[in-house]
Amino acid sequence: MNGEIRALLARLGGLPVSVDTIDDNGDLYAAGLSSFASVQLMLGLEEAFDIEFPDHLLNRKSFASIAAIENTVKTILADRKVA
């Protein structure tokens, strides 16, 4: 999952640095992720993982780092299995 998130971030994030140089817990907004790019990334994640982000997870914290994105996607997938 981490690799797919990194690939999407590289393609959709519009970052001025290589995704390979960003630690899993590194601040993506400090690395240059914009609000617009985070929306594009969200749409890419929804398509790639066949999920839909609920309103309560549409926040800066959910996209703050690669680890945060991975945890958010895992939460959505786990909630879908329970439902």
Side-chain angles (χ1 to χ4, degrees):
M1 179 180 293
N2 185 286
E4 192 160 359
I5 290 169
R6 284 180 173 276
L8 287 167
L9 187 58
R11 194 175 86 225
L12 303 170
L15 299 175
V17 297
S18 171
V19 172
D20 296 332
T21 65
I22 300 173
D23 184 76
D24 284 349
N25 293 303
D27 185 334
L28 293 177
Y29 292 99
L33 185 67
S34 68
S35 295
F36 177 78
S38 67
V39 171
Q40 297 303 307
L41 178 59
M42 179 207 63
L43 294 172
L45 290 163
E46 287 184 335
E47 184 176 327
F49 294 102
D50 192 29
I51 58 174
E52 185 173 325
F53 278 78
D55 289 343
H56 73 278
L57 292 177
L58 294 176
N59 56 58
R60 191 175 178 99
K61 183 179 174 184
S62 295
F63 297 91
S65 67
I66 293 167
I69 294 168
E70 190 169 354
N71 288 334
T72 300
V73 171
K74 285 179 180 178
T75 297
I76 294 168
L77 290 170
D79 288 349
R80 184 171 67 184
K81 286 182 182 180
V82 172

